[in-house]
Amino acid sequence: MSDWDRFAAERGPSEERGQAPWAVWSTAETQTSLTAPAWVSPPAPTPAPTPAPAPVVAPASGRRAWRLVLAVALAVVLGAGAGGGVWYVTHGRGAHDRTAATGTGSVAARSYRGTQDPAGFTVDIPRGWTRTQRQGAQAPVVTYDSPDGTRRLQIFRVSENSPAESLDLAENDPGYGFARQPGYQVIDRTSGPSWAELTYRYDDSYKGARRVIDRRFEAAGGSLYAIRSSGPESLDPGVVRAPLTAALGSFCPTDANCG
């Protein structure tokens, strides 16, 4: 029997127990027509306006020189603008692309922290999750809870001969197996040469419908461990699995060489 199994037997069947977006500008012009009296001399004729002097046409060579000046000035202005555009593309946009390319990894790195757990292993856990420990018959059961109390990560050592045997016992023991929990239903069952995993759901009397992923595996150095991740059944399954994936990828017993 694993330490977790003994611990579960003491607590009862529910391992989750214990804890929401022109200007019109107009001009009015008024004209009034009046007839001048006979004694009034007609006004002197208005001299015809002097025609404006014809513009001086620059020689063809002068026009070419002027156009050349304009072309050079335009090239300078456009060149400066193009240079600014090149800087934006190669610097501004490039920096943005690099951020986009590494953003996911950066977020993931900020979401987890490595810890040397007092129970004898190193592991990455979500930042902000709180740790508790309860002593089993032979080894501690370590629990990390999310700040809102809806998700949980549990880690403990098991003493059975294989991961498959340990998981089968934890599921089916007639006294404390979690198959006895209300609404228990297997969602997925997979295994490999050195690990076994069971995903299931059940109805917790305190937290409602829950999804649990239980992985039993052989760690570096040959010792067997269990890591369980759980959360509300309404959550995206990937959200429930994420802490388990991070923990499995970083887990190492203190006395083992994990390379």
Side-chain angles (χ1 to χ4, degrees), residues 94-117:
H96 173 75
D97 290 346
R98 288 193 298 273
T99 300
T102 60
T104 301
S106 299
V107 170
R110 292 194 300 268
S111 299
Y112 292 86
R113 65 178 179 87
T115 181
Q116 177 68 57
D117 195 277

Side-chain angles (χ1 to χ4, degrees), residues 2-239:
S2 69
D3 293 314
W4 166 250
D5 299 329
R6 296 187 181 90
F7 175 61
E10 297 171 1
R11 297 181 65 200
S14 176
E15 59 237 0
E16 306 299 331
R17 184 170 299 162
Q19 319 322 70
W22 193 260
V24 177
W25 182 56
S26 60
T27 301
E29 180 178 350
T30 301
Q31 295 181 348
T32 303
S33 177
L34 296 176
T35 302
W39 63 83
V40 177
S41 299
T46 303
T50 303
V56 178
V57 179
S61 58
R63 288 199 299 270
R64 285 195 296 270
W66 178 244
R67 289 173 182 170
L68 179 60
V69 171
L70 287 176
V72 171
L74 183 59
V76 170
V77 172
L78 292 179
V86 170
W87 184 93
Y88 172 77
V89 171
T90 59
H91 294 78
R93 184 176 176 181
H96 173 75
D97 290 346
R98 288 193 298 273
T99 300
T102 60
T104 301
S106 299
V107 170
R110 292 194 300 268
S111 299
Y112 292 86
R113 65 178 179 87
T115 181
Q116 177 68 57
D117 195 277
F121 51 82
T122 59
V123 67
D124 288 354
I125 61 167
R127 291 185 181 276
W129 288 32
T130 57
R131 180 188 185 276
T132 57
Q133 176 178 319
R134 300 177 187 274
Q135 184 61 41
Q138 297 180 359
V141 177
V142 177
T143 300
Y144 289 94
D145 286 300
S146 64
D148 61 2
T150 61
R151 292 191 290 158
R152 171 171 290 181
L153 190 68
Q154 295 171 307
I155 307 173
F156 49 92
R157 189 168 180 171
V158 299
S159 58
E160 285 74 32
N161 295 322
S162 69
E165 179 184 339
S166 176
L167 190 56
D168 178 72
L169 185 63
E171 180 186 14
N172 298 306
D173 186 276
Y176 54 81
F178 42 72
R180 299 167 55 89
Q181 296 175 343
Y184 176 80
Q185 181 180 353
V186 174
I187 298 174
D188 191 29
R189 193 190 302 271
T190 55
S191 63
S194 61
W195 59 274
E197 181 180 291
L198 175 65
T199 302
Y200 65 92
R201 59 91 58 209
Y202 77 101
D203 297 319
D204 184 89
S205 57
Y206 292 94
K207 297 184 177 182
R210 304 283 293 176
R211 174 185 289 261
V212 182
I213 308 174
D214 190 321
R215 171 75 75 104
R216 311 286 167 119
F217 64 100
E218 181 179 334
S223 54
L224 302 185
Y225 279 85
I227 300 182
R228 295 165 47 86
S229 182
S230 58
E233 189 179 27
S234 59
L235 279 181
D236 185 312
V239 174

